[in-house]
Amino acid sequence: MKMVTVRQRVDIPLQDVPVTPDFVSFEGVLKEHIALVFPSPVAGTTPLVRVHSECITGEVFGSQLCDCGPQLREALALIARQGGVLLYLRQEGRGIGLYAKLQAYSLQKQGLDTFEANRHLNLPEDSRSFEDAAKMLDALGINKIRLLTNNPDKQAQLEQYGIEIEDIVPTGVYLNPHNRRYLEAKVKLRDHKIAF
Ligand SMILES: [Zn+2]
């Protein structure tokens, strides 16, 4: 199994985030994944970790078809305050890429749900892997975390790759008229823990 090591750290101040994180790059990862590392305000606290997959439409443009933008901002605010790591994985559209995601959106306009649309395109419903995430944490010297998620698969995968999860911290629900079907599909089909 390929080793992942830290390549570089550089601190970058962020708008609307009160603490300046280190942006960390890595050797040995499949894509240009990064980690934003926030110092812990209390020594010895188990770091709060969000494993977040890239979503250009939601995060950069504020697409209302998903909840990735608000989830990312919530994660940054919480982790900045409590100390921990935001792992930002470059796996757009659950790993299918941006163009395929746009195709899937057009199928969803015809009534397919987010998972059916990927199947229709002969793409995996969810090709995300969290193995790199676990290795990046390991490279940062972190083996025990509090995980910020509503997705039970992330917990299972990280544990499988040797990360101990002390606690699960649920993320908020960011419902709007356009993303209700998407969020409902995640609850019904993937057992996400979201209360409407
Ligand atoms: Zn999104």
Side-chain angles (χ1 to χ4, degrees), residues 43-57:
T45 314
T46 304
L48 181 64
V49 172
R50 167 81 183 162
V51 180
H52 190 94
S53 294
E54 175 178 31
C55 173
I56 290 177
T57 47

Side-chain angles (χ1 to χ4, degrees), residues 28-171:
V29 282
L30 292 174
K31 294 188 173 178
E32 288 188 324
H33 304 319
I34 52 170
L36 277 64
V37 179
F38 292 86
S40 173
V42 183
T45 314
T46 304
L48 181 64
V49 172
R50 167 81 183 162
V51 180
H52 190 94
S53 294
E54 175 178 31
C55 173
I56 290 177
T57 47
E59 293 154 14
V60 178
F61 301 104
S63 159
Q64 298 290 288
L65 294 180
C66 62
D67 58 350
C68 305
Q71 286 216 324
L72 179 63
R73 286 193 295 280
E74 174 195 44
L76 284 172
L78 284 173
I79 297 170
R81 233 181 293 141
Q82 299 181 24
V85 181
L86 182 114
L87 296 175
Y88 189 79
L89 305 181
R90 312 294 300 282
Q91 40 193 12
E92 177 77 41
R94 290 201 205 90
I96 64 176
L98 176 60
Y99 280 13
K101 185 173 87 168
L102 295 177
Q103 272 184 289
Y105 278 150
S106 86
L107 289 171
Q108 287 172 48
K109 303 253 176 233
Q110 297 160 33
L112 275 61
D113 73 43
T114 178
F115 300 104
E116 289 167 343
N118 282 14
R119 283 201 296 275
H120 195 86
L121 293 168
N122 289 320
L123 292 166
E125 289 174 23
D126 192 340
S127 62
R128 290 179 298 180
S129 166
F130 299 108
E131 184 176 359
D132 269 354
K135 289 184 185 174
M136 288 158 73
L137 288 172
D138 196 52
L140 293 167
I142 295 171
N143 304 105
K144 186 161 87 167
I145 63 171
R146 292 180 301 128
L147 182 63
L148 182 59
T149 190
N150 293 323
N151 180 353
D153 185 45
K154 273 186 201 169
Q155 176 184 2
Q157 281 209 38
L158 289 174
E159 283 174 340
Q160 182 195 330
Y161 294 120
I163 300 296
E164 185 185 339
I165 300 189
E166 183 184 277
D167 200 9
I168 297 284
V169 180
T171 59

